[in-house]
Amino acid sequence: DTGVSQNPRHKITKRGQNVTFRCDPISEHNRLYWYRQTLGQGPEFLTYFQNEAQLEKSRLLSDRFSAERPKGSFSTLEIQRTEQGDSAMYLCASSLGLAGSYNEQFFGPGTRLTVL
Amino acid sequence: TQLLEQSPQFLSIQEGENLTVYCNSSSVFSSLQWYRQEPGEGPVLLVTVVTGGEVKKLKRLTFQFGDARKDSSLHITAAQPGDTGLYLCAGSTGNQFYFGTGTSLTVIP
């Protein structure tokens, strides 16, 4: 049984560079979510997909942030022109997404981004 | 917008003591989850509550959903050092998902 996996686990980049993170959800899960978490805070919802459709993206932090899930399986989160304020843990989660389910999300280990 | 407020934010207790963590909102949720997170890892789901007034027990942990489905509590009996971690409540409304502010628990041996 493989859970949610995220790569890379850590990323250090210089301000102004673009970064891309990958998330592989649990195989039978239809929904995939992205969150950002800063130290001592709860996760902050960014966006989510139902299969390949991005159903909510208004909470993406700026137009520098974008996410894709082209085949309804893995997803990528890209941050363009990174800023020091983007330094955080980026978490991915997945859930069954079936009618009657309760959005019980299973999280990956996260990608820790440090922008110098 | 912080839809879910947790209290206390920090809690440090001795092994064997009991504690309660609260999760409050002015919004109604169709379901609410509790998660536990350790440093450097993703949150791990503990329980889901869906019915107003529902009480669920998971060994020494007791979860309650408020009658109006706006609030929840987590009670831990006889806390152990292994209970140390960040406890998070989470709920969804429509296509929006919210986590609480978190309660950082430290259980001292």
Side-chain angles (χ1 to χ4, degrees), chain A residues 48-61:
Chain A
Y48 90 102
F49 295 84
Q50 174 85 27
N51 299 311
E52 65 274 10
Q54 191 172 11
L55 297 188
E56 177 56 56
K57 56 183 179 180
S58 66
R59 302 269 295 278
L60 284 168
L61 299 165

Side-chain angles (χ1 to χ4, degrees), chain B residues 12 16 43 50 54 59 95:
Chain B
S12 181
V50 299
E54 180 178 6
K59 297 184 180 178
N95 284 334

Side-chain angles (χ1 to χ4, degrees), chain B residues 12-74:
Chain B
S12 181
I13 62 171
Q14 294 290 329
E15 182 176 1
E17 292 183 350
N18 301 334
L19 67 114
T20 302
V21 176
Y22 299 93
C23 173
N24 296 300
S25 176
S26 57
S27 298
V28 175
F29 294 97
S30 57
S31 67
L32 194 141
Q33 287 81 37
W34 283 92
Y35 294 81
R36 178 171 165 268
Q37 185 177 24
E38 296 192 16
E41 300 295 330
V44 175
L45 179 68
L46 296 175
V47 78
T48 296
V49 286
V50 299
T51 305
E54 180 178 6
V55 177
K56 279 192 174 178
K57 292 191 175 183
L58 187 66
K59 297 184 180 178
R60 294 177 293 101
L61 279 60
T62 301
F63 304 86
Q64 185 164 6
F65 203 12
D67 291 341
R69 292 185 289 130
K70 292 183 179 181
D71 53 82
S72 182
S73 64
L74 158 61

Side-chain angles (χ1 to χ4, degrees), chain A residues 37 48 59 102-104, chain B residues 33 37 48 92 95-97:
Chain A
Q37 186 176 26
Y48 90 102
R59 302 269 295 278
Y102 296 108
N103 293 316
E104 294 170 318
Chain B
Q33 287 81 37
Q37 185 177 24
T48 296
S92 63
N95 284 334
Q96 301 287 337
F97 300 91

Side-chain angles (χ1 to χ4, degrees), chain A residues 6 9-10 37 43 89 91 107-112, chain B residues 36-44 86 88:
Chain A
Q6 291 187 246
R9 290 293 308 273
H10 300 90
Q37 186 176 26
M89 175 78 87
L91 292 164
F107 282 81
T111 295
R112 169 73 65 190
Chain B
R36 178 171 165 268
Q37 185 177 24
E38 296 192 16
E41 300 295 330
V44 175
L86 180 68
L88 296 157

